Amino acid sequence: MTDRIISCAQWLPDRDSFMQEQHLRPADRPMVDRLFLEAEQCAGPVGGYLETVPDACKPDSVQLNGTRVRGRLLAGHLSRQALVFPFVATCGHDLSAWVDSKTDLMENYLAFALAEHAANVVVEAVRGDIEAVFGLDSLSRMQPGSLPDWPIDQQKPLFEILGPIPEKIQVRLTSSCLMLPTNSLSGIYFRDPEGFISCRLCSRKCPRRKAPFDPEQLARLENEYSSPSNES
């Protein structure tokens, strides 16, 4: 089992698309051009992952790389896999410090949006690398805190599973299990031809929702993973 570190030199979005997404005016273009130029000077986003075999599977937990993670929905998905891929990714300290340096409210907001975009780009780069290296498709992911079934405090065992990777890319956990830099993401990639999307199981309002809440799917999965047949 080896870890892989993925970096993205080209990560900035198209400027016109960025301005449209942020509802900016043509008069804002000089500010955007300056922010993009500054962002280009920062080190790009970086992520890392490893492959591991789910072991000692139980209905409500599974062991990965010698550490147990808990959650019925998580265990139900991972116990079916030959390999799964814990990961962590971040916009990086350079971009994070650059965002923090912006005292103007509008510039800080836009800089944060760029750093958030950077983190999402490298997460997708990690997925692409897994697909290329392991010849997989139909990858889905779960992230601690994205669903009540796998709460945010599960960041701790996830970081244990990841071993030296968080330190290599300079991501750390706070006492409340939040990650620093702020624009960082962690989770587990796994193959799912049905296309698991945690947003479908979450009723919270979120501007970055990828799919509408599906109460019928939530009820079906809760029933599937809590049924007596799974209590082996």
Side-chain angles (χ1 to χ4, degrees):
M1 180 175 55
T2 57
D3 58 63
R4 289 179 63 84
I5 304 299
I6 310 298
S7 59
C8 297
Q10 304 297 323
W11 61 269
L12 281 165
D14 174 78
R15 297 189 191 194
D16 291 335
S17 298
F18 179 76
M19 290 187 64
Q20 185 174 3
E21 290 170 2
Q22 300 300 324
H23 308 289
L24 298 176
R25 305 164 299 171
D28 296 318
R29 184 59 182 252
M31 175 180 60
V32 170
D33 288 343
R34 177 168 49 79
L35 289 174
F36 270 60
L37 182 61
E38 293 175 0
E40 286 175 347
Q41 310 308 311
C42 298
V46 61
Y49 73 91
L50 54 80
E51 83 278 9
T52 187
V53 178
D55 187 29
C57 299
K58 296 182 178 181
D60 63 349
S61 66
V62 61
Q63 188 167 286
L64 303 175
N65 199 20
T67 298
R68 187 163 293 279
V69 288
R70 302 186 180 281
R72 285 184 175 274
L73 186 59
L74 180 77
H77 278 288
L78 301 192
S79 63
R80 303 171 180 177
Q81 308 294 320
L83 283 176
V84 299
F85 306 89
F87 75 90
V88 61
T90 180
C91 71
H93 276 275
D94 272 10
L95 274 170
S96 183
W98 172 67
V99 173
D100 291 343
S101 73
K102 295 299 176 186
T103 56
D104 177 82
L105 186 62
M106 186 61 175
E107 289 192 5
N108 180 268
Y109 172 82
L110 296 176
F112 185 91
L114 287 174
E116 185 177 51
H117 175 81
N120 288 323
V121 166
V122 74
V123 167
E124 286 302 304
V126 166
R127 179 185 59 80
D129 193 78
I130 295 169
E131 291 176 341
V133 171
F134 293 90
L136 297 176
D137 58 11
S138 304
L139 289 179
S140 294
R141 72 176 189 253
M142 291 186 71
Q143 298 167 205
S146 62
L147 292 171
D149 183 71
W150 201 30
I152 192 68
D153 61 11
Q154 288 290 289
Q155 289 278 33
K156 291 181 179 179
L158 178 58
F159 268 54
E160 291 178 15
I161 292 164
L162 287 163
I165 294 176
E167 184 177 358
K168 286 182 178 181
I169 67 171
Q170 297 184 293
V171 176
R172 67 178 181 88
L173 285 181
T174 68
S175 59
S176 58
C177 293
L178 299 177
M179 287 179 287
L180 296 176
T182 302
N183 277 303
S184 300
L185 297 166
S186 66
I188 300 174
Y189 272 113
F190 57 92
R191 189 172 185 275
D192 182 9
E194 294 184 4
F196 173 83
I197 301 176
S198 60
C199 292
R200 292 197 179 109
L201 311 182
C202 177
S203 61
R204 291 178 297 184
K205 294 182 179 181
C206 176
R208 292 176 292 279
R209 177 175 287 278
K210 295 182 179 180
F213 174 52
D214 186 342
E216 293 183 0
Q217 184 183 21
L218 175 60
R220 177 177 62 82
L221 289 173
E222 286 179 337
N223 179 68
E224 178 180 351
Y225 294 130
S226 63
S227 64
S229 62
N230 286 321
E231 299 292 337
S232 58

